[in-house]
Every structure is written in C-alpha cells, then in structure tokens.
Amino acid sequence: MTQKSILDRFPRAQLMSGPTPLDRLDRLSSELGIDLWLKRDDLTGLGFGGNKTRQLEFYLGDAVEQGADTILITGAVQSNFVRSAAAAAAKLGMQSVLQLEERVPDMGEEYYSSGNVLLAKILGAEHMSYPEGEDEAGADAALHARADELKSEGRKPYVIHLGLNHPPLGALGYVAAGQELCRQMPDAEAVIVPSGSGATHGGVLTGMAVEENAASVFGVCVRRDREKQTARMGTVLRKLADLLDIDAVPLQDKINVLDDALSPGYGKMSGMTRAALEKMARTEGIFLDPVYSAKTFAGLLHLVSTGEIQPGQKVVMLHTGGLPALFGYQSALLDDPT
Ligand SMILES: *Cc1c(COP(=O)(O)O)cnc(C)c1O
C-alpha cells in the first residue's frame, strides 16, 4: 500500500470541501519572535465548522455503509461533536439523537440554551440528557438503550462511541489532516494541537509520521492531566495503528503532552486561557473557543515562554473551531478578569 492511499479502504462521507487554509499570523509572529501559522480547521465548512467535521467523515461513511438512518451521540452540553453530528446527519438525510451530559459544574443559564444547544435545536435533533459527565460506559449504555427502542420501531440506528474500546474511526480524519498539513508546509518544526479524546492529536501525529515528517507534535491537555492523557494517547495510537495496519512503536515515542493550561479543568477557563483567547482576538482578529482552542493557544504561549519552542521556529497551531461555545460562556467572558 502506498502512503497516500492509507485511508482509501475506509468508507468516507464527503462533508467538507478541500484543504483548510494555513494562515500566517504576522503580528503574533513578531510579538512572540517565532514564525507562527494557524491551520484553520475552524473553517471546515459544515454547520459552523471545527475538527469534528473531519472525524465525522469516517463515522458517517461507516454509518452509510451499514444502512443507518439515525445517528446517536453523547457529549457535554456545549459539545461541538454532537452539534456537528446533527449537521452531518441532516446533510446525509438522517435523523440524530443527541445525549447531553452534565460535565461542567456551575455554569450560567446561557450554557444550557445558547451556542451549540441552540444550533442543535435548529438542526431538529432529538435530545436526551445524562446526569454524569465522567461515565463513558454508562453514557454509551444509555445511547444503546435508546438505539434498541429505535430498532424495535424499525429504524436503523448507528451509535458513535466516545469510549476507547471501539475503533477510533474519527482519528482517521486527522490522519488525513496531518498529511494535508505536510503537503501545505513540509518544513514545520512544531505543531500544537488540543488533546481531548485524542482523536485529533493521535490522527495528526500519525498522519505526519506516515509522511515521515520530523516536526514535534505537542498535545495540549483540555480534559485530563498530563499523566492520564499520556496513557490515553498510548491507547489511541495503538488502536489507530491497528486500524491502519502500521507499526505503533515509533508513534508512541512521539507522544508529548502538556497540561499547563488545563486548570481549573474541562470546560472551565482560567485567567491564562481567557487572556490567550483575548490576545488572539485583539492581535489577529481571530476568535478562539473557551474550551479547546484558547487552551491550546495558552499552551503554545507557555511553550514559547519556557523556551521549548525556540525563537525563529516555524510553528503551526491547529485551530479546531468550537466557536459557537463562545455564546454559551457569555457570563465567564463578561466577568471582570480575576
Ligand atoms: C472536540 C474538540 C477538540 C478535541 O478534539 P479530540 O479529537 O476529542 O481530542 C478540540 N477542539 C474543539 C473545538 C473540539 O470541539
């Protein structure tokens, strides 16, 4: 199998059009003393864009092949994945069932009504809720219970699992993105990505390794601390390598995660994260989201300040989107900075 065709045997639904832009950030580059580029996966196109469009191309490809007519998925209340899945389902003429988990404590009213929640309502998705936010097995089981009901009504449900005991189909979308980035910029020295489920981080790392690209890939923790995320990435990379039928060992050596921007936890903004979000907007006119991309940029700023990213280096930050969540975090963004 040639390197370029590594993804050919997986069914894929066309949800985005063409490569996303790779833009140089001129003002931030001079301020930080590096050569900084932004890979615009906020602009993947489908239903407010973001990284889940790429991931869904492979889940929905599988769903179409299995003859599914309904997509079921679980996530945080302001999940971009569930919103994007509902948009993808709409585009392919399917129904969707979205399960929203209580994962982020003490949020304002708009967290439950605006942003992604509003968009999913407009998309006409069925909604369920789940009282826990850290129970992947229980959340998946609740989705399967609903899927069984749908089956008994003659529907053909397809569950997108978030747990690690399923093939990481979504990561294939980021293998493609890693390859795309290598074509756009073969000489990048460092690539900074958010590391949540690990599908994005694992996919980029693998796609770039397949292209024999030597850039360091840094994963910025958005949900778990460094130790837990490093272990999780080991599993993700092993499962992805199995799926692609490639050697996992060289990939494992490239795992590099940092959690300096994680505090105070998933879906919560520290002063550091908010400052990063405002800096990008005020220096480049580009919005970041409070849950993922602002933490990623905060992580990048940290790497520059510690010298792990060195002056003059060619650096790419992946903008994974998530912008509708800005409107779910109105209160936190309007508070006086602490
Ligand atoms: C889901 C999400 C992430 C995290 O991606 P993973 O593939 O789950 O690690 C990052 N940014 C945004 C905007 C997201 O919605």
Side-chain angles (χ1 to χ4, degrees), residues 226-240:
R226 184 175 175 185
E227 195 183 335
K228 287 205 186 88
Q229 191 65 14
T230 301
R232 186 178 178 100
M233 289 313 302
T235 307
V236 170
L237 288 173
R238 200 174 56 246
K239 296 219 155 208
L240 183 55

Side-chain angles (χ1 to χ4, degrees), residues 4-215:
K4 296 278 188 259
S5 68
I6 196 165
L7 298 171
D8 284 355
R9 66 192 157 92
F10 299 99
R12 187 170 182 175
Q14 166 89 52
L15 297 175
M16 56 180 284
S17 52
T20 54
L22 181 61
D23 293 337
R24 186 166 194 273
L25 303 181
D26 290 341
R27 282 175 27 85
L28 278 172
S29 289
S30 22
E31 184 177 327
L32 300 174
I34 59 176
D35 185 14
L36 181 59
W37 297 72
L38 193 62
K39 175 70 172 152
R40 300 298 301 272
D41 274 15
D42 53 325
L43 304 178
T44 50
L46 178 79
F48 273 88
N51 64 340
K52 300 313 182 311
T53 309
R54 289 190 194 267
Q55 300 187 15
L56 285 161
E57 288 203 325
F58 289 90
Y59 283 114
L60 275 282
D62 191 36
V64 167
E65 191 171 86
Q66 294 187 25
D69 59 16
T70 307
I71 301 298
L72 294 92
I73 187 168
T74 188
V77 171
Q78 281 295 335
S79 165
N80 300 300
F81 209 176
V82 304
R83 176 255 307 164
S84 299
K91 182 174 166 68
L92 298 174
M94 299 183 195
Q95 312 280 303
S96 51
V97 177
L98 314 181
Q99 176 173 264
L100 303 184
E101 305 168 18
E102 283 298 335
R103 199 181 289 171
V104 186
D106 307 323
M107 295 303 290
E109 199 189 315
E110 74 276 3
Y111 183 79
Y112 297 93
S113 58
S114 187
N116 285 309
V117 178
L118 173 64
L119 298 178
K121 294 271 187 216
I122 293 172
L123 287 162
E126 175 187 322
H127 282 73
M128 301 167 48
S129 57
Y130 194 75
E132 294 275 320
E134 295 299 339
D135 175 15
E136 280 181 344
D140 279 350
L143 278 189
H144 277 284
R146 181 69 188 122
D148 287 343
E149 289 173 6
L150 292 172
K151 265 187 216 156
S152 69
E153 296 163 16
R155 303 251 297 266
K156 295 203 166 58
Y158 180 91
V159 175
I160 296 178
H161 299 96
L162 299 189
L164 282 178
N165 47 347
H166 299 274
L169 292 182
L172 298 175
Y174 271 89
V175 173
Q179 294 181 302
E180 179 180 306
L181 178 59
C182 290
R183 286 193 292 275
Q184 286 175 315
M185 185 177 280
D187 60 342
E189 294 173 271
V191 178
I192 323 291
V193 303
S195 196
S197 76
T200 301
H201 180 191
V204 167
L205 200 157
T206 302
M208 296 187 71
V210 163
E211 295 299 317
E212 296 173 0
N213 187 290

